[in-house]
Amino acid sequence: MTANSAENQPNVVLGVAGGIAAYKACEVLRRLTESGHRVRVVPTEAALQFVGAATFEALSGQPVRTGVFADVEQVPHVRLGQQADLVVVAPATADLLARAAHGRADDLLTSTLLTARCPVLMVPAMHTEMWEHPATQDNVALLRSRGIVVAEPDVGRLTGPDTGKGRLPDPAEIVDLARLLLAEPNALPRDLEGRRVVVSAGGTREPLDPVRYLGNRSSGRQGYALARVAAHRGADVTLVAAHTADLVVPAGVRLVRVGTAEEMRATMLKEASGADAVVMAAAVADFRPVELAEHKIKKTGRDPEPLRLTKNPDVLAELVRSRAAGELDTAVIAGFAAETGDPSTTVLEHGRAKLARKGCDLLVVNAVGDGQAFEVEDNAGWLLTADGTERPIPFGSKSRLASTLWDAVSEQLAAK
């Protein structure tokens, strides 16, 4: 039972529990409101020890209450959950997770969680010892068994001098997950639990001289979205990233940096060993200069020598060949094809031909150019499979496209 506002804005309840990371909820709130969501903040009493009610009210334009006896005539402990399109709790402390898991209703936030019938996203933040405690892990498992999405905490600096797992993920990542669940409520099942996956991202750079390189327009956003969604679906994720647009590493993801196509090839072949699935989303340069100039090539009065190029390795095709030769035991290999049409061949036809050449199990085909695919937040395309199945991927966030691909990967893994 959900209802949008008169302006057709999604109704989001932002719960804030009492941890030091509560200050980051302000950035989550700002990003949600600026992207067109109507947000009602419901903090716990402890949360207000870290961030005052006035801050949340000013940023949301909505009243802030913690108890069930304020505005009783509006029955907020029931209405907020009933009218929400999404509930996000960030940070979700160990105490809040425990109370939610056991059905407590001793404040407005826990009461709202009991009445909500929309997707619920809980984003934990606590010290490593608290996160790893069997009681917390049992509570997380119980919540997930009920369909609540409990995000993976990040690894990094905690309070004081401590570092470890339990840090609140970046606010941009939290908002991305929220957008995904609003668009696709079932986008984050735990169907990749126990699976190891490898994702490549970004564009390789092929040096020409100490200053210049051949590159491409890939920002890495699609690869990072694939890694993020896989991690929150339970996978052990390695992200092999070439040049990216200063993106924040997703929570729960191991990052390996590379620069050139040759480095990408060597790293992917190494990391793919023993992986359940590999997704090549990186834009690997097709060519590299034959010679690397020792010094910067100067602009003189005469024209420069013609640039001689040689082909780079086809990393995706080599992964497929290595599997066929028994050198890799990767169950599912997926790739991406950024294509432009021409007078005789459509983007989709180019994609079909590429799938046949590469021999991978799945191929996502994107049309590029005119603000599509590269350097933008959203994406669309087609998902092709080796058995000839084709399905369009509607325009939406890159995380939504990632979820569509992981659905297909999960299906193929289950069938192995």
Side-chain angles (χ1 to χ4, degrees):
M1 183 175 174
T2 62
N4 283 348
S5 67
E7 297 82 10
N8 202 32
Q9 295 174 301
N11 287 322
V12 178
V13 171
L14 176 59
V16 184
I20 185 63
Y23 77 93
K24 294 184 180 179
C26 297
E27 179 66 11
V28 174
L29 172 57
R30 185 186 68 81
R31 286 175 176 268
L32 284 170
T33 55
E34 288 184 355
S35 56
H37 302 83
R38 186 173 185 270
V39 186
R40 177 74 180 265
V41 181
V42 182
T44 64
E45 283 289 343
L48 296 183
Q49 297 294 314
F50 296 94
V51 180
T55 299
F56 290 132
E57 289 179 340
L59 290 173
S60 68
Q62 299 290 324
V64 169
R65 306 286 187 266
T66 61
V68 297
F69 293 107
D71 306 320
V72 173
E73 74 284 358
Q74 298 178 28
V75 200
H77 73 289
V78 174
R79 292 288 179 262
L80 286 175
Q82 287 180 333
Q83 295 175 354
D85 296 299
L86 175 70
V87 177
V88 180
V89 183
T93 60
D95 174 71
L96 191 282
L97 291 172
R99 290 194 289 138
H102 294 282
R104 296 282 294 274
D106 42 9
D107 61 8
L108 187 56
L109 178 53
T110 50
S111 297
T112 298
L113 289 169
L114 284 179
T115 59
R117 295 298 179 267
C118 60
V120 175
L121 169 64
M122 291 192 172
V123 191
M126 64 199 74
H127 259 65
T128 306
E129 294 85 352
M130 300 177 76
W131 171 252
E132 294 177 347
H133 195 283
T136 302
Q137 290 302 302
D138 286 348
N139 290 331
V140 169
L142 183 57
L143 290 166
R144 285 173 172 165
S145 73
R146 295 173 181 160
I148 290 175
V149 176
V150 181
E152 287 296 315
D154 206 350
V155 176
R157 183 71 179 270
L158 305 172
T159 53
D162 295 339
T163 298
K165 188 169 186 177
R167 180 183 175 91
L168 191 77
D170 188 81
E173 179 168 352
I174 296 171
V175 173
D176 185 79
L177 295 175
R179 283 186 64 200
L180 175 59
L181 291 173
L182 281 166
E184 192 64 52
N186 299 315
L188 295 173
R190 299 291 292 185
D191 55 349
L192 296 177
E193 199 90 52
R195 302 289 192 178
R196 193 171 81 81
V197 304
V198 181
V199 178
S200 70
T204 63
R205 290 180 168 182
E206 312 302 322
L208 176 61
D209 63 21
V211 176
R212 304 177 181 90
Y213 60 86
L214 297 180
N216 56 63
R217 293 171 50 205
S218 174
S219 66
R221 288 186 178 92
Q222 185 62 75
Y224 273 59
L226 284 157
R228 179 185 308 114
V229 172
H232 290 295
R233 290 174 75 147
D236 175 4
V237 184
T238 297
L239 176 61
V240 180
H243 174 68
T244 58
D246 300 321
L247 303 177
V248 176
V249 181
V253 171
R254 182 174 74 93
L255 178 69
V256 180
R257 291 282 186 190
V258 298
T260 66
E262 287 286 357
E263 291 173 358
M264 176 69 76
R265 170 190 173 275
T267 303
M268 288 302 296
L269 288 170
K270 175 185 174 183
E271 296 294 340
S273 179
D276 294 285
V278 173
V279 180
M280 280 293 302
V284 181
D286 292 322
F287 305 97
R288 68 180 185 275
V290 171
E291 298 173 348
L292 172 61
E294 184 177 353
H295 304 288
K296 178 183 176 182
I297 301 172
K298 304 298 183 183
K299 183 167 64 174
T300 62
R302 62 184 184 184
D303 290 336
E305 293 294 323
L307 181 61
R308 295 190 301 133
L309 302 177
T310 187
K311 284 186 178 180
N312 268 326
D314 188 327
V315 182
L316 178 58
E318 187 168 355
L319 287 167
V320 174
R321 289 196 302 270
S322 296
R323 183 178 64 177
E327 298 166 0
L328 283 180
D329 56 357
T330 305
V332 179
I333 299 176
F336 274 69
E339 295 289 349
T340 59
D342 55 54
S344 62
T345 311
T346 66
V347 168
L348 185 54
E349 288 169 339
H350 279 303
R352 290 170 183 150
K354 181 167 285 190
L355 176 62
R357 291 197 310 273
K358 305 288 187 181
C360 52
D361 305 298
L362 299 161
L363 187 74
V364 176
V365 182
N366 301 127
V368 297
D370 297 324
Q372 300 180 90
F374 286 148
E375 300 174 313
V376 292
E377 297 291 337
D378 300 306
N379 209 347
W382 297 267
L383 177 60
L384 313 184
T385 63
D387 65 5
T389 303
E390 300 180 1
R391 59 177 293 190
I393 302 174
F395 186 78
S397 73
K398 290 186 173 180
S399 288
R400 191 173 185 184
L401 186 150
S403 182
T404 299
L405 179 57
W406 288 122
D407 286 344
V409 170
S410 182
E411 289 174 7
Q412 295 207 4
L413 287 173
K416 297 292 183 181

